[in-house]
Amino acid sequence: MPELPEVEVTRRGIAPHVEGRTVTGIVLRRDGLRWPFPPDLPALLTGQVVRSTARRGKYLLLNFDHGTLLIHLGMSGHLRVLPAGLAAQKHDHVDIEFGAELMRFTDPRRFGAVLWHAQTDGDIEQHLLLRSLGVEPLGCADLAERLYRGTRGRSAAIKQALLAGDIVVGVGNIYACESLFESAIHPATAAGRVSRERYARLAAAIQRVLAAAIAKGGSSLRDFIGADGASGYFQQSYFVYDREGEPCRHCSASVRRIVQGQRSTFYCPRCQR
Ligand SMILES: [Zn+2]
């Protein structure tokens, strides 16, 4: 599933191909994915210029003068920039055409979304899907303090508090496991009992882990943007994620797996307390 780093790498990959470019056509090959597509999208966007791209959580935003196109990659979606006229395959649902190139949204499992938010409906940050999102972790100077204050009185496990997304966005299952390992915090610790000092270490770990994933993804950008149809999310080497029974890379203890909120959590019983 695309996590924040993949979405950010996708944004950086498409940005030079779409920013400042005029939409010359929109092709919708079905009525919708997770939700219906705006049926008037071709009329709304054809002839309009993409002024900028942005990302909020896992939503990609294409900003126009008269509103914002929101794209969510869902469970299996990806965007590629391809030469105009390239024949669509079975799971290619939306093309946004820019003259000699097009941006194609492919989504085999169809949990993705393409939505329009008109400027006249208010600030995009107040969109129903965005307004309850937590802070963006990258570049947030007071992330540790927000984590600390946001979890006072919460008995939920720290791993669950991270995944909930209401304090901080983008710390999905993989990155929650990895950043808890790096900050030596046991994933089942009650969030409200983690000290300020430990949240400082956790905040730094979250930022480091996400930045490293984005940097790694940057080197595989061709997979996202290549015209050869290659795609796929980058594989990384992890400290604990998906390593049940394997030796901890720090202390050689056996990595354990537990289930929290129906998601697998991986941790080192010796390094994380
Ligand atoms: Zn260990």
Side-chain angles (χ1 to χ4, degrees):
M1 180 177 2
E3 298 267 8
L4 182 149
E6 284 90 351
V7 179
E8 179 59 22
V9 167
T10 297
R11 189 197 67 76
R12 294 180 189 187
I14 64 167
H17 297 271
V18 306
E19 289 181 347
R21 304 276 297 274
T22 301
V23 175
T24 53
I26 302 269
V27 179
L28 304 174
R29 296 194 179 83
R30 49 186 308 120
D31 293 337
L33 294 168
R34 181 169 186 171
W35 296 297
F37 296 137
D40 53 348
L41 209 55
L44 269 171
L45 296 188
T46 302
Q48 301 290 330
V49 176
V50 178
R51 296 299 179 189
S52 62
T53 61
R55 178 189 54 75
R56 183 73 179 96
K58 294 206 286 184
Y59 290 90
L60 272 166
L61 310 177
L62 268 56
N63 295 313
F64 294 83
D65 288 333
H66 61 319
T68 299
L69 191 69
L70 287 85
I71 301 175
H72 194 285
L73 301 177
M75 305 286 284
S76 60
H78 58 265
L79 290 170
R80 284 170 299 155
V81 176
L82 301 165
L86 193 75
Q89 306 295 314
K90 184 180 178 191
H91 302 297
D92 297 339
H93 306 305
V94 180
D95 289 347
I96 302 178
E97 298 169 336
F98 298 94
E101 288 186 325
L102 58 82
M103 186 175 80
R104 178 162 284 168
F105 187 26
T106 305
D107 185 7
R109 294 183 64 184
R110 304 204 301 261
F111 281 102
V114 177
L115 300 167
W116 175 249
H117 178 76
Q119 195 195 27
T120 49
D121 290 339
D123 186 351
I124 186 66
E125 283 285 316
Q126 295 308 312
H127 190 282
L128 191 64
L129 294 169
L130 306 186
R131 65 186 174 206
S132 58
L133 295 181
V135 71
E136 288 289 329
L138 294 166
C140 176
D142 64 345
L143 182 58
E145 188 61 20
R146 284 170 178 267
L147 285 167
Y148 178 76
R149 276 190 275 113
T151 51
R152 290 311 87 189
R154 272 165 85 156
S155 57
I158 178 63
K159 161 100 181 314
Q160 297 303 98
L162 291 176
L163 289 188
D166 59 329
I167 307 173
V168 57
V169 295
V171 189
N173 201 37
I174 295 171
Y175 302 106
C177 292
E178 292 292 296
S179 52
L180 286 168
F181 172 79
E182 284 204 18
S183 50
I185 299 170
H186 192 292
T189 310
R193 299 185 68 92
V194 176
S195 68
R196 213 179 222 118
E197 291 69 27
R198 302 190 91 196
Y199 273 122
R201 289 211 302 276
L202 177 60
I206 288 169
Q207 291 174 329
R208 199 163 52 234
V209 163
L210 290 174
I214 291 169
K216 182 113 180 172
S219 65
S220 67
L221 211 54
R222 293 169 70 89
D223 289 345
F224 285 79
I225 308 304
D228 57 358
S231 68
Y233 298 104
F234 30 97
Q235 294 293 312
Q236 302 169 68
S237 63
Y238 301 116
F239 280 105
V240 287
Y241 182 77
D242 207 20
R243 296 192 64 239
E244 183 182 13
E246 294 177 40
C248 169
R249 298 192 202 279
H250 277 183
C251 74
S252 298
S254 201
V255 171
R256 281 192 193 156
R257 184 180 75 92
I258 53 173
V259 176
Q260 296 179 285
Q262 297 166 328
R263 308 291 300 275
S264 287
T265 300
F266 300 88
Y267 71 103
C268 173
R270 195 179 294 165
C271 293
Q272 294 172 257
R273 303 281 174 159

